[in-house]
Amino acid sequence: MATLSEVARRAGCTPATVSNVLRNRGRVGELTRQRVLEAIAALNYRPHLAARALAEGRAPTIALMVSSIANPFYPEFALAVERAARMGGQFLIICNTNDDPVAGRAYLEQIAGTLSEGVLVMNANLDFADLQKTETRGTPVVLCMWERPLEPPGLPCVAVDFRLAGQLAGQHLLELGHRRIGVIVGSKASGIHVARHNGFFDALCAAGIDAGNIPVLHARDTTAGGYQATRELLEAHPDLTAIFATNDLPALGALHAAADLGLDVPRDLSVIGITDIQLAREARPALTTVAVPTVEAAELAVMLLRDLIEAGSRDAGVEPCMRVASASCLVVRDSTATARASLP
Amino acid sequence: MATLSEVARRAGCTPATVSNVLRNRGRVGELTRQRVLEAIAALNYRPHLAARALAEGRAPTIALMVSSIANPFYPEFALAVERAARMGGQFLIICNTNDDPVAGRAYLEQIAGTLSEGVLVMNANLDFADLQKTETRGTPVVLCMWERPLEPPGLPCVAVDFRLAGQLAGQHLLELGHRRIGVIVGSKASGIHVARHNGFFDALCAAGIDAGNIPVLHARDTTAGGYQATRELLEAHPDLTAIFATNDLPALGALHAAADLGLDVPRDLSVIGITDIQLAREARPALTTVAVPTVEAAELAVMLLRDLIEAGSRDAGVEPCMRVASASCLVVRDSTATARASLP
DNA sequence: CTGAAAGCGCTAACAG
DNA sequence: CTGTTAGCGCTTTCAG
């Protein structure tokens, strides 16, 4: 790997000059500029990013902490983050915490501020205190999907109104005439799922329905979890005409369970999820769901992080701030239909 | 962010000593050691990875080039790579080339040797010449899944016998009595798919079957591609009793197509894929497939890369070498069954 | 066992 | 316009 000074030597100038042409700083004579360019080409020179980072006091990467990229939602999100990061000239380091706060802390302590300039957190089940500590140490942290637009957390974040998402799902089911609805909530008492759940009940209340009769089950955020929960729900309440899952994966599991129980979706049972992951489109029947602005949230998060980084380097006041993503919207596909009139 | 010398000052010693305690080099008196440790704790010191990288002439990251993490196979692979990398103390930079050789080159030129110590390549559709160039510049490159164990490419690689995989798929179908089989080949003339395809024909030949009657269609490596291809195949050849797809995603698409055509899988049509991605397990019916040793390949690739890096830093001869992953194996699930006896 | 000094490759003032 | 001079934070000889 050729270095800057080798280029300089070959071009008959000093490293500073080479650096200037590299960064298009102008102040370089056209003639020397040419010589430098030639030398760069001849030596196949590439700037050493780590060295540059050290000299500039910045880093060319940001980190994305996710619980596990094996959950199909995260890759979609990660892809959007990577694209946005690349637009800003930064590379993405993927950190799978596997829902383990200890692993998460290890990542934060090693990476934050030394290898990556900022940290994006997406449901990684990290200790809030750890996050605040890294922020205090001077590395910006952004929560990618905060669920309560009206109550900013103690950290910069992108807010997504998940309560609204739950509400939309509820309204849709109600409009189709469903009254006996089973609810599957993604397991972790993760605020995200709670908000969606609450939104759903908002819709019920608004329609004057007694939420007391609505069976609710908590499940793991996987198809298997949804499958299991659906079977239990249906066994205990054979009269259910619809299932609302706070996430697409369990909703997909509900689809499978229905098939195995010989129920036709949507004729015998309607199923609705939230998020609109790719699989929702590909499922049979295609899943009706509430689409969350995933890509937009990723872009907002990256931009916010970048702003914080720049503010930090200008020593501007960095106060916890929040960007709000667009509203979620209902995507009607083939897994929901009018409630069957006849009760068993 | 506290620095090494701040720690040294506080501990009343020099940076060199702090460095020694940090790296457990021994040669430090127990007393000073304690003082250093205290100072580190008090200042909440963390080593600056970029600075260390520069000083050591190494980097704490490796890069994984994939076509697009949106294809569900890659996250599974990426997760395995990340785990293996972490074991060796390295971080993973994810590079989605989006199948664009230009984007891939940009990544290589920027990252290789400056930010990441080595590059793992997983079907990213990169220019072979670009890869060789980065290797020549001194950054090890490893191909994660090379399809011909008997013909090493010009680069270090992990070989997976995809021809065998295709053969296993073929044998399974033949044993079930299928003779009229439609073949869907993942679009890119990617060697991986060609090898699988060839293996399938090996099985046919071994059984003395005339391959001339076997309809073959190329499709994009997606469920949609498989869906479309299956419909075309079945329209042109209504007598097909089975579909072999060189990859799981198109096979999953075949499942959907069959459902839409009112065909019962596996009664009316058997479907088999290759890879065994998570979705294969979750599909309805669950997909019979040939499981490729994904995790093992990821681990071998990371280990090989690490060996190359170390060999390079010791200036040992680095000749193109190949590690061979275990054989793929058939996983029979619910999408294949005995061929229906009656021909239309 | 500990300190002093040089340097990794690059940037950023500041001089000339 | 170009060169000089300091570092960035850490590691690593080599002396003491």
Side-chain angles (χ1 to χ4, degrees):
Chain A
M1 295 272 303
T3 74
L4 222 190
S5 27
E6 283 169 26
V7 173
R9 199 174 322 135
R10 193 175 216 277
C13 66
T14 61
T17 304
V18 177
S19 178
N20 279 333
V21 347
L22 241 31
R23 345 203 78 220
N24 285 311
R25 272 252 190 30
R27 34 178 154 172
V28 177
E30 188 50 29
L31 208 129
T32 32
R33 210 181 106 78
Q34 284 309 327
R35 283 211 316 278
V36 168
L37 257 18
E38 279 171 33
I40 288 177
L43 295 169
N44 207 305
Y45 167 79
R46 302 281 170 251
H48 193 295
L49 264 29
R52 179 177 281 180
L54 185 57
E56 283 181 326
R58 333 175 67 255
T61 68
I62 61 177
L64 172 64
M65 318 272 293
V66 297
S67 138
S68 164
I69 208 174
N71 175 327
F73 166 71
Y74 295 113
E76 295 181 32
F77 187 77
L79 187 59
V81 167
E82 199 233 24
R83 294 230 167 98
R86 290 306 301 139
M87 297 272 76
Q90 299 192 283
F91 298 93
L92 211 218
I93 296 187
I94 283 273
C95 308
N96 290 102
T97 66
N98 206 28
D99 261 332
D100 175 5
V102 177
R105 178 181 313 135
Y107 262 123
L108 285 175
E109 294 195 337
Q110 289 196 76
I111 282 198
T114 74
L115 236 201
S116 69
E117 228 178 335
V119 178
L120 255 28
V121 179
M122 179 75 222
N123 289 2
N125 192 24
L126 296 151
D127 247 39
F128 202 78
D130 287 332
L131 290 173
Q132 290 187 306
K133 200 181 295 171
T134 79
E135 211 198 20
T136 309
R137 273 213 236 87
T139 306
V141 172
V142 169
L143 267 27
C144 293
M145 287 199 178
W146 173 248
E147 65 270 17
R148 294 193 298 273
L150 276 61
E151 307 166 38
L155 287 169
C157 67
V158 173
V160 175
D161 191 345
F162 285 130
R163 186 158 190 154
L164 171 66
Q167 213 175 327
L168 291 173
Q171 280 170 7
H172 177 62
L173 255 21
L174 292 172
E175 279 165 12
L176 290 172
H178 295 278
R179 292 299 177 270
R180 312 280 311 144
I181 305 172
V183 177
I184 301 175
V185 181
S187 72
K188 333 164 204 172
S190 132
I192 284 181
H193 292 275
V194 172
R196 295 172 182 186
H197 185 188
N198 288 339
F200 179 77
F201 277 97
D202 289 349
L204 256 39
C205 289
I209 292 175
D210 178 15
N213 294 322
I214 298 290
V216 177
L217 231 53
H218 287 250
R220 290 183 35 243
D221 184 18
T222 60
T223 47
Y227 180 91
Q228 185 56 27
T230 302
R231 295 199 70 135
E232 288 176 24
L233 237 23
L234 253 21
E235 193 161 322
H237 311 269
D239 59 336
L240 293 181
T241 64
I243 297 277
F244 160 61
T246 58
N247 223 355
D248 281 353
L249 238 28
L252 259 11
L255 252 29
H256 292 164
D260 284 4
L261 290 168
L263 295 174
D264 181 88
V265 173
R267 204 193 56 207
D268 305 324
L269 185 75
S270 284
V271 175
I272 188 169
I274 290 185
T275 306
D276 195 20
I277 59 177
Q278 276 183 32
L279 285 178
R281 262 155 274 176
E282 297 184 354
R284 297 284 133 157
L287 185 71
T288 294
T289 187
V290 178
V292 168
T294 306
V295 173
E296 187 197 354
E299 289 166 353
L300 286 176
V302 171
M303 284 165 56
L304 174 52
L305 188 60
R306 186 155 27 249
D307 289 352
L308 290 169
I309 290 168
E310 278 166 18
S313 65
R314 282 199 319 270
D315 240 356
V318 184
E319 47 201 280
C321 50
M322 184 168 78
R323 310 254 164 116
V324 182
S326 320
S328 303
C329 62
L330 180 70
V331 180
V332 180
R333 287 200 270 252
D334 310 328
S335 69
T336 48
T338 315
R340 50 168 202 272
S342 60
L343 285 178
Chain B
M1 294 274 302
T3 74
L4 223 193
S5 28
E6 282 168 28
V7 172
R9 198 174 322 134
R10 193 175 218 276
C13 66
T14 61
T17 304
V18 178
S19 179
N20 279 333
V21 52
L22 242 30
R23 344 204 78 216
N24 286 311
R25 272 253 189 29
R27 35 181 154 170
V28 177
E30 188 49 29
L31 208 130
T32 32
R33 207 181 107 79
Q34 284 308 328
R35 284 212 315 279
V36 168
L37 258 17
E38 278 171 33
I40 287 176
L43 295 169
N44 207 305
Y45 167 80
R46 302 281 171 250
H48 192 294
L49 265 28
R52 180 177 281 181
L54 186 57
E56 285 182 324
R58 334 176 65 256
T61 68
I62 61 177
L64 173 64
M65 319 273 292
V66 296
S67 137
S68 165
I69 206 171
N71 174 326
F73 166 71
Y74 295 112
E76 296 182 32
F77 187 76
L79 187 60
V81 168
E82 198 232 25
R83 294 230 166 99
R86 290 306 302 137
M87 297 273 77
Q90 299 192 283
F91 298 94
L92 212 218
I93 296 187
I94 283 275
C95 309
N96 289 101
T97 65
N98 206 28
D99 261 332
D100 174 6
V102 177
R105 180 181 312 135
Y107 261 121
L108 285 176
E109 293 196 336
Q110 289 196 77
I111 282 198
T114 74
L115 198 54
S116 69
E117 229 178 333
V119 178
L120 255 27
V121 179
M122 179 75 222
N123 289 2
N125 192 24
L126 295 150
D127 247 39
F128 202 78
D130 286 332
L131 290 173
Q132 290 187 306
K133 200 181 294 171
T134 79
E135 211 199 20
T136 308
R137 272 213 236 85
T139 307
V141 173
V142 169
L143 268 27
C144 293
M145 285 199 180
W146 173 249
E147 65 269 18
R148 294 193 297 273
L150 276 61
E151 307 167 38
L155 287 170
C157 67
V158 173
V160 176
D161 190 346
F162 285 131
R163 185 158 191 154
L164 171 66
Q167 212 175 328
L168 291 174
Q171 280 171 6
H172 177 61
L173 255 21
L174 292 172
E175 279 165 12
L176 291 172
H178 295 277
R179 292 298 178 269
R180 312 280 311 144
I181 304 172
V183 176
I184 301 175
V185 181
S187 71
K188 331 163 205 171
S190 131
I192 284 181
H193 292 276
V194 172
R196 295 172 182 187
H197 184 187
N198 288 340
F200 179 77
F201 276 97
D202 289 348
L204 256 40
C205 290
I209 292 174
D210 178 15
N213 294 323
I214 299 289
V216 177
L217 231 54
H218 287 251
R220 288 182 37 243
D221 185 18
T222 59
T223 47
Y227 180 90
Q228 184 57 27
T230 303
R231 295 199 70 134
E232 289 176 24
L233 236 24
L234 253 20
E235 192 161 323
H237 310 270
D239 59 335
L240 293 181
T241 64
I243 297 276
F244 160 62
T246 57
N247 222 355
D248 281 352
L249 238 30
L252 258 13
L255 251 29
H256 293 163
D260 284 4
L261 291 168
L263 295 174
D264 181 87
V265 173
R267 206 195 53 208
D268 306 324
L269 186 75
S270 284
V271 175
I272 188 168
I274 290 184
T275 306
D276 196 20
I277 59 178
Q278 275 183 31
L279 285 177
R281 263 154 274 176
E282 296 183 354
R284 298 284 134 157
L287 185 70
T288 293
T289 187
V290 178
V292 167
T294 306
V295 173
E296 188 197 353
E299 288 165 354
L300 286 176
V302 171
M303 284 165 57
L304 174 51
L305 187 60
R306 187 157 23 252
D307 289 351
L308 290 168
I309 290 167
E310 278 165 17
S313 65
R314 282 199 318 270
D315 239 358
V318 183
E319 47 201 280
C321 51
M322 182 167 80
R323 310 254 165 117
V324 182
S326 321
S328 304
C329 62
L330 180 69
V331 179
V332 179
R333 285 200 271 253
D334 311 328
S335 69
T336 48
T338 314
R340 50 169 202 272
S342 58
L343 285 177

